Amino acid sequence: MVPTVEWKDGVVRLLDQSRLPTQVEFLDCRDYRAVAQAIRELKVRGAPAIGVTAAMGVALGAHGVAASDYDAFAKAVGEICDHLAASRPTAVNLFWAIARMKRKMATLKTQPIPQIKAELVRESQAILDEDIALCKAMGTEGAHVIGDGQTVLTHCNAGALATAGYGTALGVIRAAWEQGKKIHVIADETRPVLQGARLTAWELMQDKIPVTLITDNMAGSLMRQGKIQVCVVGADRIAANGDVANKIGTYSVAVLARAHGIPFYVAAPYSTIDLATKTGADIPIEERNPLEVTSIHGSHPVAPEGVAVYNPAFDVTPAEFVTGIITERGIFKPGDLAGVFGAERPAG
Ligand code: MRU
């Protein structure tokens, strides 16, 4: 797989996901504002990838700060962090990564500014490397939930594209495939931005993992016909009680899975678990441009001009519908997360 995000010769290079699957193009962000804009415009998307990109945005922004004393430098970097944090509200990995960069900066207070700048680049690279390792660990821990010969449904894109590499939900699927299991993936197309059709189908085809694309409204019928044995999705934020925010439509899949007795798993690293947020009701849900609903790619209208539109980008699946949360440390019941991950509460 081509890298989702990387630090390349002093720029943040992103695979422009808004152009997939028809064009594989890279976007070089030369300042932190361009990084924030790329996050806002879904050129990079998926909770862990957003976190890694924001961390690199902080490092990039810090490089451009001219201050020579720590307090002035820290103030300017704080403003850069605020700008990046305002790009999208739901995925907690964004805030987790920015908070980690700020903590790193504070530990370097006594160092010369050029050294702090270099260390911030290193920290963002460490976040990227850790993200890939976390995904691989989730794959190892979770692959057994998909049996040989089974068909697994996934929603949105929680793959290599949504992370620094390998993926969360698709990491689990990839690991099962790498173990030699003959599995098949059903990818929901994921209206309105089509992450399933454009990204998951593309990513799995790149790796030659068998995939069939369906529209979102077909999942229930396939479940009823016994064509799906397990569901695995990603998450943007998991509250302390185990409620899961993920791409809009995830809740419908979870309810359908429950109605048909199909296990429903969520794969996510510790950086997605937000113990500071008590329940799903407290998770901010992003509302996006109505054009995403009324047109394809903003240019081909599919609805009458002027129609009222509601376009929440995420929904919350109550913990009771989640069979298990696959993490880098093992699979847990949603209600057990607070006990297990208490020490790594994402700050900020
Ligand atoms: O709006 P997006 O494309 O950023 O939404 C992405 C999702 O909802 C993913 O399922 C989630 O971030 C998990 S990615 C490993």
Side-chain angles (χ1 to χ4, degrees):
M1 278 291 295
V2 280
T4 316
V5 49
E6 60 181 331
W7 182 272
K8 188 124 184 126
D9 305 327
V11 305
V12 178
R13 176 164 290 181
L14 304 172
L15 171 61
D16 185 346
Q17 299 189 33
S18 65
R19 294 185 180 269
L20 287 172
T22 48
Q23 288 156 291
V24 179
E25 276 183 23
F26 294 88
L27 175 71
D28 283 346
C29 299
R30 294 175 196 283
D31 68 72
Y32 74 91
R33 288 178 191 278
V35 173
Q37 193 178 342
I39 294 173
R40 213 168 13 249
E41 294 176 354
L42 309 186
K43 292 180 185 306
V44 60
R45 31 66 52 204
I50 291 172
V52 171
T53 305
M56 293 205 158
V58 174
L60 185 64
H63 255 270
V65 173
S68 54
D69 70 281
Y70 178 81
D71 287 343
F73 177 75
K75 185 169 179 290
V77 174
E79 284 162 11
I80 290 163
C81 289
D82 291 347
H83 184 82
L84 286 158
S87 56
R88 293 190 78 189
T90 304
V92 77
N93 305 61
L94 174 76
F95 309 102
W96 170 86
I98 291 172
R100 178 163 157 179
M101 293 297 282
K102 277 185 172 171
R103 282 200 302 277
K104 181 71 189 179
M105 179 173 71
T107 66
L108 300 164
K109 197 172 178 154
T110 56
Q111 305 296 317
I113 302 290
Q115 192 169 329
I116 303 179
K117 290 180 175 178
E119 286 293 337
L120 288 177
V121 176
R122 271 195 280 280
E123 185 68 3
S124 68
Q125 185 63 45
I127 291 174
L128 184 150
D129 294 339
E130 182 190 284
D131 187 58
I132 299 174
L134 289 167
C135 287
K136 294 220 164 131
M138 272 177 264
T140 306
E141 296 294 336
H144 71 88
V145 307
I146 308 170
D148 195 13
Q150 289 195 332
T151 294
V152 51
L153 179 138
T154 192
H155 189 73
C156 193
N157 173 268
L161 292 167
T163 60
Y166 205 72
T168 59
L170 290 195
V172 169
I173 289 169
R174 207 169 247 123
W177 174 254
E178 285 167 1
Q179 287 173 359
K181 291 177 187 167
K182 292 198 170 23
I183 60 171
H184 196 101
V185 182
I186 298 286
D188 278 350
E189 71 171 348
T190 318
R191 280 279 292 154
V193 181
L194 305 175
Q195 287 92 336
R198 294 189 303 105
L199 308 177
T200 296
W202 182 80
E203 180 176 331
L204 292 174
M205 287 175 79
Q206 295 282 308
D207 280 358
K208 306 209 173 350
I209 300 174
V211 56
T212 298
L213 177 65
I214 61 169
T215 62
D216 299 331
N217 49 358
M218 295 174 185
S221 174
L222 264 73
M223 288 185 189
R224 185 141 197 265
Q225 293 171 60
K227 291 186 173 163
I228 293 163
Q229 283 76 47
V230 55
C231 301
V232 186
V233 300
D236 286 86
R237 191 187 295 230
I238 304 177
N241 72 340
D243 290 350
V244 174
N246 191 46
K247 179 53 56 194
I248 190 77
T250 302
Y251 171 57
S252 313
V253 172
V255 172
L256 283 169
R258 171 61 55 88
H260 293 90
I262 296 168
F264 177 88
Y265 288 95
V266 174
Y270 78 98
S271 48
T272 303
I273 299 166
D274 179 11
L275 299 181
T277 295
K278 282 206 180 79
T279 75
D282 306 313
I283 298 176
I285 300 294
E286 177 182 12
E287 278 185 46
R288 294 189 59 86
N289 192 327
L291 262 183
E292 289 180 352
V293 176
T294 57
S295 71
I296 303 290
H297 283 322
S299 51
H300 302 289
V302 291
E305 210 180 322
V307 67
V309 171
Y310 176 47
N311 185 21
F314 302 96
D315 61 25
V316 173
T317 299
E320 64 190 277
F321 289 99
V322 179
T323 309
I325 300 194
I326 302 167
T327 74
E328 68 278 6
R329 290 215 211 155
I331 305 180
F332 301 101
K333 290 280 167 213
D336 293 342
L337 288 182
V340 178
F341 289 91
E344 285 114 4
R345 166 187 295 217

mmCIF file of all heavy atoms in Angstrom, residues 257-277:
data_model
loop_
_atom_site.group_PDB
_atom_site.id
_atom_site.type_symbol
_atom_site.label_atom_id
_atom_site.label_comp_id
_atom_site.label_asym_id
_atom_site.label_seq_id
_atom_site.Cartn_x
_atom_site.Cartn_y
_atom_site.Cartn_z
ATOM 1 N N ALA A 257 -27.387 -6.493 12.759
ATOM 2 C CA ALA A 257 -26.586 -7.653 13.192
ATOM 3 C C ALA A 257 -27.233 -8.286 14.418
ATOM 4 O O ALA A 257 -27.387 -9.521 14.494
ATOM 5 C CB ALA A 257 -25.149 -7.211 13.496
ATOM 6 N N ARG A 258 -27.657 -7.452 15.367
ATOM 7 C CA ARG A 258 -28.307 -7.988 16.573
ATOM 8 C C ARG A 258 -29.583 -8.751 16.206
ATOM 9 O O ARG A 258 -29.842 -9.849 16.705
ATOM 10 C CB ARG A 258 -28.607 -6.823 17.525
ATOM 11 C CG ARG A 258 -29.480 -7.159 18.728
ATOM 12 C CD ARG A 258 -28.869 -8.214 19.640
ATOM 13 N NE ARG A 258 -27.533 -7.876 20.102
ATOM 14 C CZ ARG A 258 -27.264 -7.157 21.186
ATOM 15 N NH1 ARG A 258 -28.249 -6.731 21.940
ATOM 16 N NH2 ARG A 258 -26.023 -6.910 21.539
ATOM 17 N N ALA A 259 -30.361 -8.180 15.288
ATOM 18 C CA ALA A 259 -31.629 -8.814 14.904
ATOM 19 C C ALA A 259 -31.410 -10.172 14.246
ATOM 20 O O ALA A 259 -32.298 -11.033 14.279
ATOM 21 C CB ALA A 259 -32.389 -7.889 13.951
ATOM 22 N N HIS A 260 -30.235 -10.350 13.651
ATOM 23 C CA HIS A 260 -29.965 -11.600 12.939
ATOM 24 C C HIS A 260 -28.975 -12.500 13.686
ATOM 25 O O HIS A 260 -28.495 -13.499 13.142
ATOM 26 C CB HIS A 260 -29.438 -11.294 11.525
ATOM 27 C CG HIS A 260 -30.473 -10.642 10.652
ATOM 28 N ND1 HIS A 260 -30.628 -9.277 10.570
ATOM 29 C CD2 HIS A 260 -31.437 -11.182 9.866
ATOM 30 C CE1 HIS A 260 -31.641 -9.001 9.761
ATOM 31 N NE2 HIS A 260 -32.150 -10.129 9.322
ATOM 32 N N GLY A 261 -28.646 -12.125 14.924
ATOM 33 C CA GLY A 261 -27.749 -12.955 15.741
ATOM 34 C C GLY A 261 -26.324 -13.010 15.206
ATOM 35 O O GLY A 261 -25.614 -14.008 15.369
ATOM 36 N N ILE A 262 -25.907 -11.933 14.554
ATOM 37 C CA ILE A 262 -24.553 -11.887 13.957
ATOM 38 C C ILE A 262 -23.639 -11.072 14.871
ATOM 39 O O ILE A 262 -24.003 -9.959 15.277
ATOM 40 C CB ILE A 262 -24.623 -11.231 12.551
ATOM 41 C CG1 ILE A 262 -25.467 -12.105 11.613
ATOM 42 C CG2 ILE A 262 -23.231 -11.002 11.973
ATOM 43 C CD1 ILE A 262 -25.836 -11.421 10.303
ATOM 44 N N PRO A 263 -22.441 -11.579 15.213
ATOM 45 C CA PRO A 263 -21.547 -10.797 16.081
ATOM 46 C C PRO A 263 -21.106 -9.497 15.418
ATOM 47 O O PRO A 263 -20.821 -9.462 14.212
ATOM 48 C CB PRO A 263 -20.355 -11.721 16.328
ATOM 49 C CG PRO A 263 -20.530 -12.894 15.445
ATOM 50 C CD PRO A 263 -21.912 -12.902 14.874
ATOM 51 N N PHE A 264 -21.042 -8.439 16.218
ATOM 52 C CA PHE A 264 -20.688 -7.100 15.724
ATOM 53 C C PHE A 264 -19.491 -6.602 16.526
ATOM 54 O O PHE A 264 -19.609 -6.311 17.724
ATOM 55 C CB PHE A 264 -21.896 -6.158 15.892
ATOM 56 C CG PHE A 264 -21.623 -4.740 15.478
ATOM 57 C CD1 PHE A 264 -21.807 -4.338 14.161
ATOM 58 C CD2 PHE A 264 -21.175 -3.806 16.400
ATOM 59 C CE1 PHE A 264 -21.550 -3.024 13.777
ATOM 60 C CE2 PHE A 264 -20.917 -2.491 16.027
ATOM 61 C CZ PHE A 264 -21.109 -2.104 14.713
ATOM 62 N N TYR A 265 -18.331 -6.538 15.866
ATOM 63 C CA TYR A 265 -17.098 -6.122 16.541
ATOM 64 C C TYR A 265 -16.654 -4.736 16.071
ATOM 65 O O TYR A 265 -16.833 -4.365 14.912
ATOM 66 C CB TYR A 265 -15.964 -7.107 16.241
ATOM 67 C CG TYR A 265 -16.124 -8.427 16.934
ATOM 68 C CD1 TYR A 265 -16.721 -9.501 16.270
ATOM 69 C CD2 TYR A 265 -15.701 -8.610 18.243
ATOM 70 C CE1 TYR A 265 -16.887 -10.730 16.898
ATOM 71 C CE2 TYR A 265 -15.869 -9.833 18.887
ATOM 72 C CZ TYR A 265 -16.459 -10.882 18.209
ATOM 73 O OH TYR A 265 -16.627 -12.086 18.845
ATOM 74 N N VAL A 266 -16.015 -4.019 17.006
ATOM 75 C CA VAL A 266 -15.411 -2.716 16.707
ATOM 76 C C VAL A 266 -13.912 -2.861 16.961
ATOM 77 O O VAL A 266 -13.521 -3.373 18.010
ATOM 78 C CB VAL A 266 -15.995 -1.621 17.622
ATOM 79 C CG1 VAL A 266 -15.266 -0.303 17.428
ATOM 80 C CG2 VAL A 266 -17.491 -1.463 17.370
ATOM 81 N N ALA A 267 -13.095 -2.436 15.985
ATOM 82 C CA ALA A 267 -11.634 -2.494 16.169
ATOM 83 C C ALA A 267 -11.104 -1.076 16.329
ATOM 84 O O ALA A 267 -11.376 -0.208 15.488
ATOM 85 C CB ALA A 267 -10.973 -3.174 14.970
ATOM 86 N N ALA A 268 -10.364 -0.831 17.397
ATOM 87 C CA ALA A 268 -9.845 0.523 17.642
ATOM 88 C C ALA A 268 -8.662 0.484 18.609
ATOM 89 O O ALA A 268 -8.641 -0.327 19.535
ATOM 90 C CB ALA A 268 -10.944 1.410 18.227
ATOM 91 N N PRO A 269 -7.692 1.377 18.394
ATOM 92 C CA PRO A 269 -6.548 1.452 19.315
ATOM 93 C C PRO A 269 -6.877 2.295 20.552
ATOM 94 O O PRO A 269 -7.913 2.973 20.585
ATOM 95 C CB PRO A 269 -5.489 2.167 18.464
ATOM 96 C CG PRO A 269 -6.288 3.053 17.556
ATOM 97 C CD PRO A 269 -7.584 2.340 17.282
ATOM 98 N N TYR A 270 -5.972 2.298 21.530
ATOM 99 C CA TYR A 270 -6.226 3.040 22.783
ATOM 100 C C TYR A 270 -6.450 4.526 22.529
ATOM 101 O O TYR A 270 -7.162 5.192 23.280
ATOM 102 C CB TYR A 270 -5.086 2.804 23.783
ATOM 103 C CG TYR A 270 -3.823 3.594 23.519
ATOM 104 C CD1 TYR A 270 -3.567 4.771 24.207
ATOM 105 C CD2 TYR A 270 -2.876 3.165 22.596
ATOM 106 C CE1 TYR A 270 -2.412 5.504 23.980
ATOM 107 C CE2 TYR A 270 -1.729 3.887 22.360
ATOM 108 C CZ TYR A 270 -1.498 5.057 23.054
ATOM 109 O OH TYR A 270 -0.356 5.783 22.810
ATOM 110 N N SER A 271 -5.852 5.051 21.432
ATOM 111 C CA SER A 271 -5.978 6.485 21.147
ATOM 112 C C SER A 271 -7.390 6.883 20.704
ATOM 113 O O SER A 271 -7.688 8.070 20.573
ATOM 114 C CB SER A 271 -4.957 6.871 20.069
ATOM 115 O OG SER A 271 -5.016 5.963 18.991
ATOM 116 N N THR A 272 -8.250 5.895 20.470
ATOM 117 C CA THR A 272 -9.640 6.173 20.087
ATOM 118 C C THR A 272 -10.576 6.074 21.293
ATOM 119 O O THR A 272 -11.745 6.446 21.221
ATOM 120 C CB THR A 272 -10.076 5.174 18.973
ATOM 121 O OG1 THR A 272 -9.161 5.298 17.874
ATOM 122 C CG2 THR A 272 -11.467 5.443 18.450
ATOM 123 N N ILE A 273 -10.042 5.542 22.407
ATOM 124 C CA ILE A 273 -10.868 5.352 23.606
ATOM 125 C C ILE A 273 -10.777 6.626 24.449
ATOM 126 O O ILE A 273 -9.694 7.034 24.865
ATOM 127 C CB ILE A 273 -10.389 4.113 24.394
ATOM 128 C CG1 ILE A 273 -10.533 2.871 23.497
ATOM 129 C CG2 ILE A 273 -11.171 3.960 25.693
ATOM 130 C CD1 ILE A 273 -9.808 1.654 24.012
ATOM 131 N N ASP A 274 -11.922 7.244 24.652
ATOM 132 C CA ASP A 274 -11.962 8.554 25.307
ATOM 133 C C ASP A 274 -12.690 8.429 26.646
ATOM 134 O O ASP A 274 -13.905 8.613 26.730
ATOM 135 C CB ASP A 274 -12.674 9.548 24.385
ATOM 136 C CG ASP A 274 -12.774 10.926 25.011
ATOM 137 O OD1 ASP A 274 -12.120 11.163 26.040
ATOM 138 O OD2 ASP A 274 -13.516 11.758 24.463
ATOM 139 N N LEU A 275 -11.926 8.123 27.676
ATOM 140 C CA LEU A 275 -12.550 7.892 28.986
ATOM 141 C C LEU A 275 -13.027 9.194 29.626
ATOM 142 O O LEU A 275 -13.788 9.168 30.591
ATOM 143 C CB LEU A 275 -11.564 7.170 29.911
ATOM 144 C CG LEU A 275 -11.121 5.793 29.399
ATOM 145 C CD1 LEU A 275 -10.162 5.138 30.379
ATOM 146 C CD2 LEU A 275 -12.306 4.884 29.130
ATOM 147 N N ALA A 276 -12.605 10.324 29.059
ATOM 148 C CA ALA A 276 -13.073 11.620 29.575
ATOM 149 C C ALA A 276 -14.499 11.907 29.109
ATOM 150 O O ALA A 276 -15.160 12.792 29.643
ATOM 151 C CB ALA A 276 -12.131 12.727 29.114
ATOM 152 N N THR A 277 -14.945 11.186 28.104
ATOM 153 C CA THR A 277 -16.326 11.344 27.614
ATOM 154 C C THR A 277 -17.141 10.177 28.165
ATOM 155 O O THR A 277 -16.853 9.014 27.855
ATOM 156 C CB THR A 277 -16.327 11.372 26.071
ATOM 157 O OG1 THR A 277 -15.610 12.544 25.658
ATOM 158 C CG2 THR A 277 -17.718 11.427 25.501
#
